[in-house]
Amino acid sequence: MNTEIIKIDPENIDPQALDKACEYIKRGELVAFPTETVYGLGGDAFDPNASRSIYAAKGRPSDNPLIVHIAEISDIYDIGKNIPKTAEILAEAFWPGPMTLIVEKSTSVPYETTGGLDTVAIRLPSHPIAREFIKRSERFIAAPSANTSGRPSPTMASHVIEDLSGRIPCIIDGGRVEIGLESTIIDLTESIPTILRPGAISLKDVAAVTKDARMDPGIGEENPSVRPKAPGMRYRHYAPKGELTIVEGDRDKVIERIIEECQTRTKTGSTSAVIACSESAKEYRDCLVFDIGAKMREEEIAHNLYDTLRKLDEEGIEYIFSESFDSPDMGVAVMNRLLKAAGHRVLRV
Ligand code: TXA
Ligand code: MG
C-alpha cells in the first residue's frame, strides 16, 4: 500500500490539504493524525470495518478498546448514554485536552470499536489539526496511538512512518506533539471517578473538581494480583529492545552505580547507555548519555521519553540504565510508562 504523507502547519491549517485526509476517513479508510498527547491512528468510529482495519494495521489484540475522538462537548450524548453529572463537570474543566472519559456506550457505537465492552472511551483533543480533522471528516474518529502494538507511542510523524508506512493510506504530518504521553483515562462507571491510566491531568487535578477520585488499584505495583481495569494497561508495552533497568536512590549513589554498571558492560564487550536528566547528564563520564530533559520541568521529560526509547532501539543499545523521575504530578505518568518499559526492573541503591 502506498502511504500519502500530508504536511500541515498546525498554526496555519490549509483546509484543502486537510480535506484530502478527511476523504480517506469518509471512504472508511485510516489516517494517522497529530493530537496534543501522541499521534493517533484514526478511522470512522461508527464503521466496524474501519475499527477492524485499525487493529490489523497496529497488530493490536481486538479486545483492547479504542478511544472515540469528538469535536464538541455535546457529542458525548451521541457516543455515550446515562452520562453522569461528573462527566459534564470534568468536560467543562479539562476539554479540549489530554483527558479521556469512560461512560456507558450508546447503541450507535459498534462493539468492534469498544473491544466488545458496553462502555466507551471518549476524548475531545485540543490539537488544532485534530479538531479540524474530526470536524471536516463529519465523523467521530476512533483512534488508538499510531504505533505498532508494543512500541512506544509516536510523538512525531517520523515515528508513525517507521511503524506504519505501507500499512495505512495516509499520515498527516503536523510536527512534534506537545505533551508526549497519552491522555489521562478516567472511568466514570464506578462509584468514584477512577484513573485507569495516569497522564498530564493528575489525580490532584481531577479530585479538585470532582471532590472524590482515586487511582485504579490495578495500576500500582503494590499488589500484582489486582489486574488493571483498562485492557491496554495489562499488556507488556513500550519495551525497548535492550534491557532497561531503573536505578533509584540517593543522587550521588545512583550516578556512581550507573557508571559502574556501564563500565562492567564495556569490559564484557556489550553496549550500554544512560537515561539521565539534564541536571546530572554531564556527570556520567565515559558513558553514552541520553539527556531526557530537566527534572525541574517534568513536562520536558514526558515530552522526550518515547523519542528517547526509540533512539535507544535505533542505536541497538543492549543495556540501558535510567534515573528515576518520580514527582507528584507528571512524574506519576512518566514513571508508569518507564516502569512498564523496564518490565519493573528496579535497582535500589
Ligand atoms: O492520548 C491518547 O489517549 C491517545 C490519543 C491518540 O488520543 N490515544 C491512546 O489510545 O493512547 P490507545 O488505544 O493507545 O489507548 C487507549 C487505552 C487502552 O489502554 C484501552 O484499553 C483503554 O484506553 N480503554 C479504551 N476504552 C476503554 C473502556 N471502555 N474501558 C476501559 N479502558 C478502555
Ligand atoms: Mg497505545
Side-chain angles (χ1 to χ4, degrees), residues 10 14 36 52 90 107 128 188 192 196 202 266 277 299 314 332:
D14 172 355
E36 70 280 20
R52 283 191 202 106
L90 285 165
T107 47
L188 300 177
I192 315 175
L196 304 187
S202 69
T266 307
C277 62
E299 60 295 343
E314 262 166 48
V332 176

Side-chain angles (χ1 to χ4, degrees), residues 99-344:
M99 174 183 77
T100 296
L101 297 178
I102 311 267
V103 297
E104 283 178 49
K105 82 169 191 71
S106 74
T107 47
S108 321
V109 184
Y111 282 113
E112 281 78 1
T113 300
T114 64
L117 297 177
D118 287 312
T119 55
V120 62
I122 312 177
R123 184 159 102 81
L124 171 50
S126 66
H127 195 292
I129 294 177
R131 294 198 71 185
E132 268 312 293
F133 172 60
I134 301 165
K135 276 189 207 151
R136 299 180 84 91
S137 293
E138 298 166 339
R139 304 285 190 282
F140 302 120
I141 305 287
S145 49
N147 51 293
T148 307
S149 204
R151 295 218 72 204
S153 294
T155 55
M156 46 187 113
S158 63
H159 296 162
V160 184
I161 294 168
E162 237 169 71
D163 283 13
L164 298 177
S165 181
R167 302 179 65 87
I168 58 171
C170 180
I171 298 171
I172 302 176
D173 179 352
R176 195 163 175 174
V177 305
E178 187 194 326
I179 297 174
L181 289 184
E182 305 86 344
S183 60
T184 305
I185 301 179
I186 310 169
D187 184 1
L188 300 177
T189 65
E190 305 256 349
S191 52
I192 315 175
T194 303
I195 294 187
L196 304 187
R197 178 175 71 184
I201 292 168
S202 69
L203 178 61
K204 205 170 64 193
D205 297 333
V206 175
V209 297
T210 61
K211 299 194 182 68
D212 240 356
R214 60 164 192 165
M215 279 286 180
D216 175 9
I219 60 174
E221 325 157 65
E222 304 79 35
N223 190 353
S225 65
V226 185
R227 294 211 316 162
K229 187 166 179 192
M233 299 295 279
R234 294 175 200 148
Y235 297 106
R236 193 179 138 84
H237 238 190
Y238 321 127
K241 293 182 190 118
E243 183 187 283
L244 170 61
T245 307
I246 300 169
V247 185
E248 264 180 14
D250 178 66
R251 178 178 180 272
D252 293 340
K253 289 211 177 97
V254 167
I255 294 172
E256 194 185 323
R257 179 61 182 265
I258 292 182
I259 293 174
E260 250 174 58
E261 293 285 344
C262 289
Q263 281 170 347
T264 309
R265 298 306 183 286
T266 307
K267 273 188 206 132
T268 56
S270 303
T271 52
S272 61
V274 186
I275 303 177
C277 62
S278 312
E279 289 90 340
S280 56
K282 286 196 183 63
E283 305 205 24
Y284 293 93
R285 52 196 149 74
D286 302 331
C287 298
L288 173 60
V289 181
F290 288 78
D291 180 343
I292 195 170
K295 213 168 187 160
M296 270 182 56
R297 292 185 295 277
E298 40 177 356
E299 60 295 343
E300 243 179 62
I301 295 177
H303 182 78
N304 292 324
L305 178 65
Y306 288 148
D307 185 47
T308 303
L309 291 178
R310 281 181 180 259
K311 280 188 182 132
L312 286 158
D313 272 351
E314 262 166 48
E315 304 274 325
I317 307 294
E318 294 164 283
Y319 294 93
I320 307 154
F321 299 93
S322 177
E323 295 177 352
S324 177
F325 307 105
D326 228 339
S327 64
D329 298 318
M330 199 62 176
V332 176
V334 168
M335 287 314 289
N336 169 267
R337 308 313 194 270
L338 196 60
L339 278 162
K340 279 186 151 196
H344 289 267

